[in-house]
Amino acid sequence: MREHYDELETRDPEVRERGLFSALPGLIAAARERAPAWARILAGVDPAEVTDRAALARLPVTRKSALLAMQREALPFGGLTTVAPGELARIFASPGPIYDPEGRRPDYWRMGRALFAAGFRRGEVIQNCFSYHMTPAGSMLEGGAAALGCAVIPAGVGQTELQAQVMAEVRPDGYVGTPSFLKIILEKADELGRDCSSVRKALVSAEPFPPSLRQYFAGRGITARQCYATADVGLIAYESEAEEGLIVDEGILLEIVRPGTGDPVAEGEVGEVVVTVLNPEYPLIRFGTGDLSAVMPGPSPCGRTNVRIRGWMGRADQTTKVRGMFVRPEQVAEIVRRHPEIRRARLVVDRDDVRDTMVLRCEVAGAPEGLAEAVAATIQAVTKLRGEVELVPPGSLPNDGKVIDDVRKFD
């Protein structure tokens, strides 16, 4: 039995990089020609010059947080698609609503790779407990299962007793859905005396998957692995049998950038996940997911050679309100930009009795006299709020991706 979904997974990393960047200029050119929003966002960009990561990093980041406003201005997709709505297979509405297009290509969301890595094989039956109503998750996994040649029970969410009954009577080989819902089904099956022991594998996503829950499933003979996907992008990364981080999908160019900027961070540093998706219908170019993660060193022990990330580590959009005014990561980035002596910064928001306080902790080496006062003046100019400044040695700030740390308690 083959160990990998295809030969792409074991390519030399340099070959993969050349392949992705050889396809990128054509994608950018088509996006500029056929999608009005990309024509505006990438105005002045020469697609032929975007052939490496340094050139890619010079393009603007389009963040998920901006999608709703873009779509309100140009319904339904904000001018980011290259095809008319009638040329799509499905149109979904995620909370917001944000409209998500699905093209007609097989396994449009590229989920077959994640299912294969989770142990699913042709001829097996999958109980798909992701939502089929409006949002794309159910369809994502349906397409991946079809690519593998698996049968699907389109179970969706809810109806726990019926889920347990179907699982006991149809005897699926595996489950896809949130990890918490699988536990609920199994507990309901125990309560009803239903035998659900046919389920030996699971692909879970959409919520945290703590080690305790993984161990719970293992105790019931179920090998559960996770993947990281979004309604806009589809599959971003997936877990393999090594269970050491998540391996980036072959159709994705992934960057980790400092929140509030488009600047890539060093390997291992936590930052925002930014992806470029080689998708002709919906070409997301430097799309900021708003999620935090970090690149792990080296390849996976399973033999797959693509970049690994640590998985979901929180949200990059750390906007908070201080004294009635919003403070955003972009503002912290602007303060740092104006003072080259600052290597990294973290704005700590706290409360002194009933008054909000801000302290900008700045990593600096050999700070010149008067730097703290100058930075404090910049805080006032950029945020319109007063804040204190604390200068700390390089390496003092936690590596957790936070540029705004709101520690206030409102008891």
Side-chain angles (χ1 to χ4, degrees), residues 124-130 132 138 141-142 145 150-157 162-163 165-176 198-199:
E124 294 183 330
V125 178
I126 301 173
Q127 188 152 331
N128 184 358
C129 292
F130 279 117
Y132 277 82
L141 274 299
E142 182 101 13
C150 295
V152 171
I153 303 168
V157 297
L162 181 57
Q163 297 272 9
Q165 179 180 348
V166 169
M167 190 174 283
E169 295 179 351
V170 180
R171 311 292 292 169
D173 300 276
Y175 163 97
V176 297
S198 67
V199 174

Side-chain angles (χ1 to χ4, degrees), residues 68 93-98 100 135:
L68 183 60
S94 295
I98 291 177
D100 303 305
T135 58

